[in-house]
Amino acid sequence: MGGYNSTRWNTYYKKTTVEECKTLPISLLKKAIKHVVENPGEKYRGSVSWSCRGESTGNIGYLIYSEKDYLKARLQYKFTESGLEMDYPISLTFTVLSWGAKRWWFICPLVKNGIPCNHRVGKLYLPPGYMYFGCRHCYELTYTSCQESHKYDSFYKQFALGMNETIPGLTYGNVKRILEEPRERLSNKSALGAIHQRIVELEEKERKKKERLARYLTAEELCRQSGLTKDELEKLGEYRLLVPDTKDGRYRSKLVGWGKKLKEKLYSGWDYESIKSWSRKKMECIK
């Protein structure tokens, strides 16, 4: 993501799931919001923390306050690895329920493709490798259950299309139904032996892909190993000189060397436009 209220949107391998993100539901701020509404002019400070298997994985502080008759939540947190401190406001709004009670919402603060989101949402998310909380739609998040349920859909369609001449009338739905049978039954059907083998190959391919992606570096790790600052990395990304390789903002480990070269140029006083021209000429020489 670029500066506050802006994001970069690239082509990635796979969508990030909400389960991978830190989630901030408006319900956790309900007590603070009620206090500020009932006590005009006062502020309420609190915190939210996350844990996994009993171990803390992060925490943020928040401040609920009123500004020009509008309620806002100021989020304050720090990234441990980079030391980067975040402090920015998010507007709140409400709708009136049929029985008269108010239901509070966040106003998504992100900007996508130059257009402010401003969607009213009940939860905000912070995906790995990003700096700001935003809505699920801006970050194009999905759910693990959705990914698993459609894991082989593209293969089913391609297989049905390829086998249609051999088995007339074979459809995507037929293939999916057959392949979802228990493995022991599937392996005993000689006519489907090739399909069974292909599924095994796909699962192995998926496993290797996950292992490969696990070796990728976060933005903080890349900065630490290359000597770049977070701001420098963001700026280099804007000039397309150093961009993430995965949707969750991770980089190939071999980019550490490239990052060190770019850091040397910046340290020598080069501006980003000059570095981009130098990089373009370098690539042309390689070709």
Side-chain angles (χ1 to χ4, degrees), residues 59-99:
N59 63 82
I60 67 169
Y62 65 83
L63 178 68
I64 304 299
Y65 63 100
S66 180
E67 184 177 276
K68 297 181 180 179
D69 296 327
Y70 291 96
L71 221 57
K72 292 190 176 183
R74 179 170 288 278
L75 303 186
Q76 300 166 323
Y77 50 96
K78 180 179 181 179
F79 291 98
T80 305
E81 293 185 355
S82 65
L84 181 65
E85 296 185 357
M86 307 300 296
D87 187 342
Y88 56 95
I90 294 178
S91 297
L92 305 177
T93 188
F94 66 87
T95 53
V96 180
L97 302 177
S98 58
W99 57 90

Side-chain angles (χ1 to χ4, degrees), residues 5-274:
N5 279 1
S6 66
T7 57
R8 277 201 310 277
W9 310 93
N10 302 297
T11 301
Y12 300 99
Y13 300 124
K14 192 176 182 181
K15 286 187 175 182
T16 304
T17 64
V18 297
E19 289 83 358
E20 298 175 74
C21 307
K22 287 183 171 59
T23 305
L24 180 62
I26 192 71
S27 58
L28 293 182
L29 309 183
K30 186 176 180 181
K31 180 180 178 181
I33 292 173
K34 182 179 179 181
H35 177 86
V36 174
V37 170
E38 294 178 350
N39 300 275
E42 291 192 16
K43 300 179 180 180
Y44 190 104
R45 189 177 297 274
S47 63
V48 176
S49 59
W50 295 270
S51 62
C52 180
R53 298 174 183 175
E55 295 186 7
S56 175
T57 58
N59 63 82
I60 67 169
Y62 65 83
L63 178 68
I64 304 299
Y65 63 100
S66 180
E67 184 177 276
K68 297 181 180 179
D69 296 327
Y70 291 96
L71 221 57
K72 292 190 176 183
R74 179 170 288 278
L75 303 186
Q76 300 166 323
Y77 50 96
K78 180 179 181 179
F79 291 98
T80 305
E81 293 185 355
S82 65
L84 181 65
E85 296 185 357
M86 307 300 296
D87 187 342
Y88 56 95
I90 294 178
S91 297
L92 305 177
T93 188
F94 66 87
T95 53
V96 180
L97 302 177
S98 58
W99 57 90
K102 292 181 179 179
R103 181 175 181 178
W104 288 90
W105 308 85
F106 292 112
I107 300 294
C108 177
L110 300 184
V111 174
K112 183 176 180 180
N113 299 325
I115 302 175
C117 174
N118 289 334
H119 278 170
R120 188 177 64 198
V121 293
K123 293 181 179 179
L124 293 176
Y125 302 90
L126 180 64
Y130 287 85
M131 297 165 56
Y132 298 96
F133 279 86
C135 73
R136 182 170 65 87
H137 307 287
C138 280
Y139 280 124
E140 299 181 2
L141 303 176
T142 185
Y143 295 95
T144 300
S145 57
C146 293
Q147 290 186 342
E148 292 298 323
S149 64
H150 297 287
K151 189 174 183 179
Y152 297 116
D153 280 7
S154 61
F155 168 67
Y156 297 154
K157 294 175 182 178
Q158 292 175 7
F159 187 87
L161 187 62
M163 291 293 291
N164 204 263
E165 294 182 4
T166 306
I167 310 176
L170 186 66
T171 66
Y172 152 71
N174 298 146
V175 174
K176 184 174 182 179
R177 176 179 52 78
I178 293 171
L179 295 185
E180 288 176 348
E181 291 186 17
R183 283 292 176 83
E184 59 273 13
R185 292 179 58 187
L186 183 61
S187 58
N188 291 331
K189 298 180 180 180
S190 58
L192 299 174
I195 304 178
H196 178 267
Q197 181 59 34
R198 181 57 177 154
I199 288 294
V200 173
E201 293 172 358
L202 282 173
E203 289 179 337
E204 179 64 14
K205 183 178 179 181
E206 183 69 18
R207 183 187 66 78
K208 290 181 178 179
K209 179 181 176 182
K210 288 181 178 179
E211 289 181 351
R212 185 178 70 253
L213 292 178
R215 295 193 294 269
Y216 280 35
L217 303 174
T218 63
E220 289 76 15
E221 292 169 336
L222 179 61
C223 286
R224 186 176 65 253
Q225 295 185 36
S226 65
L228 292 166
T229 65
K230 188 69 174 179
D231 289 339
E232 288 171 341
L233 181 60
E234 291 291 334
K235 198 67 177 179
L236 289 169
E238 292 175 11
Y239 279 82
R240 309 300 296 174
L241 289 166
L242 195 57
V243 296
D245 294 283
T246 67
K247 183 168 184 177
D248 61 0
R250 291 177 176 269
Y251 301 78
R252 288 169 292 166
S253 57
K254 69 179 184 180
L255 289 178
V256 171
W258 177 241
K260 289 180 178 179
K261 290 182 180 180
L262 296 176
K263 179 64 178 182
E264 290 175 3
K265 296 295 182 184
L266 291 170
Y267 186 76
S268 300
W270 287 42
D271 58 32
Y272 293 95
E273 196 62 48
S274 299

